[in-house]
């Protein structure tokens, strides 16, 4: 314990950080006074969050499909499939989920980006975990299909995701 606390003290963890806390308090007060619901969402943090989100996208294989060629096309349809497309899962450990200012879910982000290029693109949103015959027909008839998968805290957390570490 002595070595642990010595290391923590030497890193400055317990130093007085009054200048930082005063600046943060002033910023939060100014944003609250201006009607901002999310006082910690500074332009720098929003820019960093966008950069991290861009880096976090994973594409397993492209085969020339992306980017979608929607510019100037008439009667172009996109089906977005998956229950997680409307979720706003921003992390369990320290991220508050109640402030939704500046939040855009996956469905909104995809639709907004594509409609900037071609506002005539038609979207079908399939949010059920079980596909119906109608859903399958929509998927077959779409020009492009985007599948959104993921997990949330109801079954993906330290105390819920696995009952054992045995593989």
């Amino acid at each position: 314990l002595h070595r642990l606390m010595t290391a923590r003290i030497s890193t400055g963890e317990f130093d007085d950080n009054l200048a930082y806390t005063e600046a943060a308090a002033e910023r939060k007060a100014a944003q609250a006074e201006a009607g901002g619901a999310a006082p910690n969402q500074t332009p720098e943090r929003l820019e960093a969050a966008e950069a991290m989100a861009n880096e976090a996208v994973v594409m397993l294989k492209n085969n020339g499909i992306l980017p979608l060629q929607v510019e100037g096309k008439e009667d172009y349809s996109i089906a977005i499939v998956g229950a997680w497309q409307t979720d706003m899962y921003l992390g369990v450990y320290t991220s508050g989920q109640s402030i939704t200012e500046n939040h855009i879910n996956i469905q909104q982000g995809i639709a907004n980006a594509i409609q900037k290029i071609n506002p005539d693109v038609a979207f079908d949103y399939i949010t059920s975990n079980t596909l119906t015959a109608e859903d399958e027909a929509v998927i077959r008839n779409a020009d492009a299909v985007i599948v959104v998968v993921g997990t949330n805290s109801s079954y993906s957390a330290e105390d819920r995701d696995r009952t054992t570490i045995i593989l």
Side-chain angles (χ1 to χ4, degrees):
L1 181 62
H2 175 47
R3 286 192 315 215
L4 172 67
M5 296 308 288
T6 301
R8 289 176 72 183
I9 290 168
S10 69
T11 63
E13 183 176 345
F14 301 109
D15 290 355
D16 181 19
N17 204 357
L18 190 58
Y20 171 78
T21 55
E22 286 178 349
E26 289 171 11
R27 184 181 71 246
K28 286 175 76 171
Q31 288 177 331
E33 188 174 300
N40 291 324
Q41 291 186 7
T42 64
E44 296 83 12
R45 288 179 180 172
L46 292 172
E47 185 178 315
E50 185 173 355
M52 286 182 266
N54 289 336
E55 291 293 321
V57 172
V58 176
M59 183 182 342
L60 300 178
K61 198 170 189 179
N62 187 358
N63 290 342
I65 295 170
L66 296 176
L68 293 177
Q69 302 301 314
V70 299
E71 189 171 1
K73 291 192 176 179
E74 293 181 25
D75 299 325
Y76 195 86
S77 67
I78 298 174
I80 303 179
V81 181
W84 305 111
Q85 63 184 283
T86 58
D87 278 17
M88 295 295 299
Y89 182 61
L90 303 174
V92 176
Y93 293 98
T94 60
S95 177
Q97 304 295 309
S98 60
I99 298 172
T100 58
E101 186 176 315
N102 299 316
H103 291 192
I104 298 173
N105 65 37
I106 294 169
Q107 182 189 88
Q108 293 166 327
I110 292 170
N112 292 349
I114 290 173
Q115 287 177 331
K116 281 182 185 174
I117 298 167
N118 183 348
D120 297 325
V121 170
F123 287 92
D124 289 294
Y125 305 111
I126 301 170
T127 58
S128 171
N129 284 323
T130 306
L131 296 178
T132 64
E134 182 182 329
D135 294 336
E136 291 175 8
V138 167
I139 291 168
R140 268 193 303 279
N141 293 324
D143 294 298
V145 178
I146 299 170
V147 179
V148 179
V149 297
T151 61
N152 70 15
S153 61
S154 66
Y155 57 86
S156 177
E158 285 184 9
D159 61 341
R160 292 180 209 106
D161 52 356
R162 292 187 63 90
T163 57
T164 178
I165 61 171
I166 297 172
L167 297 177

